[in-house]
Amino acid sequence: MNSYKHFAHRVLILFAHPALQKSRVNRVLINAVRKLDGVTVHDLYERYPEFDIDVKYEQGLLLAHDVVVFHHPFFWYSTPAILKEWQDLVLQHGWAYGREGTALRDKVMFNVITTGGSEAAYQKSGHNRITMRELLSPIERTAVLCGMEYLPPFVAHGTLGMQASEIRRHADDYRRIIEAYRDGRVNLKAARRQPRLNANLDKVIQSDQGNR
């Protein structure tokens, strides 16, 4: 784990991709943030190939960070299996939620998602007949139950036909938003109003400190 002494916030990226070697987009995205100081990239499939999740270790990681990111491809309108398993085991009653479950209170959480569908497909009038934010409501409600602030997702739409230059642009934007969270330069009021965090990063990221 990196040293966090000189950073405003500590960022934990819970990365879940069951076939990363076949991924065109996620490999570029995660490599853009993997070596950032003050950021922990935690590859769940790499650490737990048999799904034998170390609950105490995972809870310790959560306690050591201020911002929690679920980074994953969008599988059947949800997360890859290991991320659901992680939630089922790690977010225990009496620790993450419930009367005595205050370990995650006031932390920030959001999703980083790749999906083959276009942004237009995730609208009321689009192919899926529902928005991405609505599809993520189970995760949002989980975060709220745990006393966390859940923010709009960072979404890379249309990955099936995405060109290398566009992949690189998304990776640069991803690195930019993670660095901004780490350095305390995210305007949370502006972020809350976005349909997705990367819809307009210039509105979300500020140059001065003290966004909370």
Side-chain angles (χ1 to χ4, degrees), residues 133-168:
R133 187 65 182 265
E134 289 173 314
L135 287 165
L136 292 171
S137 59
I139 296 177
E140 178 173 2
R141 297 317 305 167
T142 297
V144 172
L145 183 65
C146 294
M148 307 172 79
E149 170 150 19
Y150 183 83
L151 294 178
F154 179 109
V155 187
H157 281 291
T159 58
L160 295 178
M162 193 175 287
Q163 300 299 310
S165 60
E166 191 175 2
I167 296 173
R168 186 70 256 165

Side-chain angles (χ1 to χ4, degrees), residues 102-143:
T102 60
L104 304 180
R105 186 168 295 174
D106 297 328
K107 295 180 187 290
V108 170
M109 180 182 172
F110 64 95
N111 291 76
V112 171
I113 293 171
T114 59
T115 180
S118 67
E119 187 164 14
Y122 289 93
Q123 306 296 330
K124 294 291 188 182
S125 59
H127 176 75
N128 293 302
R129 305 296 183 186
I130 193 170
T131 68
M132 178 64 73
R133 187 65 182 265
E134 289 173 314
L135 287 165
L136 292 171
S137 59
I139 296 177
E140 178 173 2
R141 297 317 305 167
T142 297

Side-chain angles (χ1 to χ4, degrees), residues 7-8 24 28 51 70-71 73 77 115 180:
F7 297 117
R24 294 175 57 247
V28 179
F51 279 49
F70 281 8
H71 178 167
Y77 306 106
T115 180

Side-chain angles (χ1 to χ4, degrees), residues 7 41 58 62 86 109 147 152 208:
F7 297 117
V41 174
E58 298 300 316
L62 290 170
W86 182 95
M109 180 182 172
D208 59 324

